[in-house]
């Protein structure tokens, strides 16, 4: 990203809103924004959008709806030429042509990151549900195959 007004990098290179000198873009209440594919990806409620904030009059383009209910607590991770989105439901993937797909075989998650080439997801304990406090890895070479056996069995 060459220019960003009214945002600052937070944890895991996620852009967060901050007070600025002028409003650059007013799409609504942006919760989290992330740079991807030369644009800025962000959510407003349960809808995911992208926009080029370097345009003099940026316009929002809808990518799709988030799978999870925890839209205020989501994370993004880059994987090859895709953006992974964890929002409390199944993991979602946005490709370079702005198509969004949901991996219905993944565990529910609100955290996603890459470690040694493998996708790792987690659902934090305050998100509730039976999958809380567990970390899951996707298979090596096939990120649609998950071992959903919690380790350890008794938390």
């Amino acid at each position: 990203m060459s220019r960003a007004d009214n945002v600052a990098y937070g944890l895991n290179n996620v852009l967060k809103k901050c007070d600025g000198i002028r409003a650059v873009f007013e799409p609504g209440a942006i919760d989290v924004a992330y740079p991807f594919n030369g644009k800025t990806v962000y959510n407003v409620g349960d809808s995911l959008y992208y926009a080029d904030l370097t345009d003099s009059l940026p316009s929002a383009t809808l990518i799709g709806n988030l799978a999870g209910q925890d839209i205020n607590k989501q994370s993004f991770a880059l994987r090859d030429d895709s953006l992974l989105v964890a929002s409390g439901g199944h993991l979602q993937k946005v490709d370079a042509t702005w198509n969004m797909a949901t991996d219905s075989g993944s565990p529910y998650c609100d955290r996603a990151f890459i470690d040694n080439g493998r996708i790792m997801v987690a659902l934090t304990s305050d998100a509730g549900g039976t999958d809380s406090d567990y970390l899951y890895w996707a298979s090596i070479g096939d990120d649609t195959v998950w071992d959903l056996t919690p380790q350890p069995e008794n938390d």
Side-chain angles (χ1 to χ4, degrees):
M1 178 180 298
S2 60
R3 177 185 141 200
D5 293 333
N6 298 349
V7 293
Y9 282 105
L11 290 174
N12 298 324
N13 290 329
V14 174
L15 293 172
K16 298 282 189 175
K17 295 183 294 185
C18 64
D19 293 332
I21 56 173
R22 64 183 175 90
V24 176
F25 191 45
E26 294 291 337
I30 294 176
D31 295 309
V32 178
Y34 196 86
F36 173 66
N37 201 22
K39 311 281 187 211
T40 300
V41 175
Y42 61 92
N43 78 298
V44 175
D46 66 349
S47 297
L48 197 65
Y49 296 90
Y50 73 88
D52 185 349
L53 298 184
T54 63
D55 288 347
S56 59
L57 295 171
S59 62
T61 302
L62 178 67
I63 299 170
N65 292 324
L66 297 173
Q69 301 299 318
D70 201 358
I71 58 174
N72 293 319
K73 190 174 186 183
Q74 60 184 279
S75 72
F76 298 100
L78 290 174
R79 166 74 177 211
D80 300 325
D81 60 350
S82 298
L83 179 67
L84 304 175
V85 183
S87 63
H90 291 294
L91 186 66
Q92 293 176 289
K93 187 183 295 187
V94 177
D95 66 22
T97 60
W98 302 108
N99 293 313
M100 185 161 66
T102 301
D103 180 359
S104 60
S106 75
Y108 288 145
C109 55
D110 61 6
R111 295 289 174 259
F113 49 97
I114 308 298
D115 182 55
N116 291 322
R118 294 177 75 176
I119 298 172
M120 301 171 73
V121 297
L123 183 67
T124 54
S125 61
D126 56 341
T130 58
D131 293 336
S132 295
D133 292 326
Y134 293 116
L135 183 64
Y136 298 95
W137 284 263
S139 293
I140 295 173
D142 187 352
D143 57 17
T144 62
V145 176
W146 297 86
D147 178 4
L148 300 181
T149 306
Q151 299 294 329
E153 292 243 353
N154 297 316
D155 189 10

